[in-house]
Structures are given as C-alpha cells and as structure tokens.
Amino acid sequence: MKPVRTAFLLAALFCVCAPALAQVQAPRSSLPQQELPATQVLAELRRGGYVLYFRHTATDFSQNDEKMKRFEDCADQRNLIDKGHADARAAGAAIRQLQVPVGRVLASPFCRTVETAQLLFGRAEKMPEVRGGPAVSASSERYAELRKILATPVAPGANLAVVSHGNPFYSVAGPPYLAEGEVAVIRPQGTDFQVIARIRIDGWDALKGAPPK
C-alpha cells in the first residue's frame, strides 16, 4: 500500500473514532458534587423520597465468609464486633431523634448486614439483590438489580433504607469506598441516581443542630 494512501486511511479512521473517544465519561465518583449544609441535608431526609444506603457497621476482619454454606450460617461469616453493635444502636437512636422517616428496610442476607439493619431500625427485609450476584449471561451485569433499586423513585414522606456492603456500592457508584457504618444519601432519578451526601457512623450528631420540622 502506498504511503500517501496509508496516511489517508489512518486520518479517516481517526476522524471516525475521535467523536466516540470524546464521549467516554470520566470514572464515576460516589462523592457528592457539592457539600450541603447539615440543615439542608436534614431537611431533605425529613422530606423523604431518598434511598439511604448503609454499609454494615464495624466487623471482625480476622473472620471471613469462605466456609459459609448458608446465609444463616453466622459462625462461618465475618460478623459485627461490639463497636459495630454500639455504633448501629447509637445511629438508630439518632435517626429517630432527628425525625427521619424510614419505610422499608432492605438488607443483604449476610448476618452482619441483617444485624446492622435490625439494630438501626428494628427490622430487616432480606433481599439478595442489594448485594449483587453472579451475572446470568455474558451481557448481564452483576449489580443491575442494585442499580435499579437505587434509581427507582421513592415516594415523599419516607426514605428507603438499604443495608449492604462496601463492594456493591463501590461498583455502582464509584470510589471512594463507604466506611463501615457510613451511609450514602441517594436521590433516585428514574434511570440513574445521584449521591447528595455521605454521613459517617459518628456524623449524625452534626445534624442535630438543625431546627425541628
């Protein structure tokens, strides 16, 4: 092939590909686009219509789930430690004191997530979809159901709580990871979702200065 023709073909190929390359988005971040004042975050939470995605509270990292055969098999899982129990109870009490309405509470079926949900809210609806699962086909995505849950609008007047793990949220929302006990406040948008705030397990007290409704 002549050099001139080769150069022409390469230039044409670049022109075709360049627009597609320009449309590639930067990696997603789960950090809020702007820091909202505590009073505004609390006002939004009290209004309802959000998904509150909690990572389970503090666990014993010397344990793992490798020998687990059933979700109910707590002895062979990584479980909450005393700090995890205390943190969940304290956060649950703070959420009630702040008058944040919570409707359904969905939890990954693992013992640490169900226990966190029960300590936070006194109830847990086990749902494997919030932790993800194996892809059912080459074209499917492991966390498709979780994405759908986070994007589906929630009626005003209450919030949907999801208690799950760090990896699923990182996979659908981007870095950085949620710390143990941290919650992401998510605004569902129908086909997508937006993180408007992140509250660490010891951060609920910062919202207490907001005026009551």
Side-chain angles (χ1 to χ4, degrees):
M1 185 178 292
K2 295 181 179 180
V4 174
R5 186 179 179 186
T6 301
F8 176 79
L9 290 174
L10 288 174
L13 179 61
F14 177 80
C15 290
V16 171
C17 294
L21 291 173
Q23 294 174 8
V24 175
Q25 297 181 349
R28 185 166 189 164
S29 171
S30 65
L31 292 175
Q33 292 183 354
Q34 65 178 109
E35 287 291 330
L36 299 178
T39 52
Q40 186 175 347
V41 172
L42 182 54
E44 293 297 320
L45 290 174
R46 285 173 171 164
R47 186 177 298 117
Y50 288 89
V51 178
L52 308 182
Y53 185 104
F54 290 81
R55 183 181 177 188
H56 58 76
T57 50
T59 54
D60 182 353
F61 277 92
S62 71
Q63 300 173 333
N64 60 60
D65 309 318
E66 291 179 358
K67 296 181 180 179
M68 182 190 78
K69 294 181 174 61
R70 299 180 300 118
F71 287 122
E72 295 77 16
D73 187 12
C74 297
D76 288 323
Q77 297 179 36
R78 193 171 98 236
N79 295 302
L80 300 187
I81 57 176
D82 289 344
K83 174 176 170 54
H85 297 143
D87 284 347
R89 290 191 187 98
I95 291 168
R96 291 188 293 274
Q97 182 180 353
L98 290 167
Q99 302 174 33
V100 174
V102 174
R104 293 177 69 188
V105 179
L106 311 181
S108 161
F110 279 82
C111 294
R112 57 185 176 273
T113 41
V114 172
E115 189 173 14
T116 297
Q118 291 172 334
L119 291 170
L120 282 167
F121 303 111
R123 59 193 186 278
E125 182 180 336
K126 297 180 183 180
M127 182 175 285
E129 291 85 349
V130 302
R131 64 170 288 269
V136 296
S137 69
S139 61
S140 66
E141 197 265 322
R142 178 177 181 181
Y143 299 108
E145 289 301 315
L146 175 59
R147 290 179 189 274
K148 182 178 179 180
I149 290 169
L150 300 184
T152 300
V154 178
N159 300 289
L160 170 68
V162 173
V163 184
S164 191
H165 309 266
N167 282 330
F169 188 72
Y170 183 97
S171 297
V172 300
Y177 273 96
L178 289 171
E180 289 189 314
E182 188 174 11
V183 58
V185 181
I186 296 167
R187 177 186 290 127
Q189 298 176 320
T191 57
D192 199 3
F193 62 89
Q194 178 186 17
V195 179
I196 70 156
R198 290 171 56 137
I199 305 170
R200 295 182 71 88
I201 190 63
D202 58 355
W204 290 98
D205 285 343
L207 303 183
K208 291 182 179 179
K213 62 179 179 181

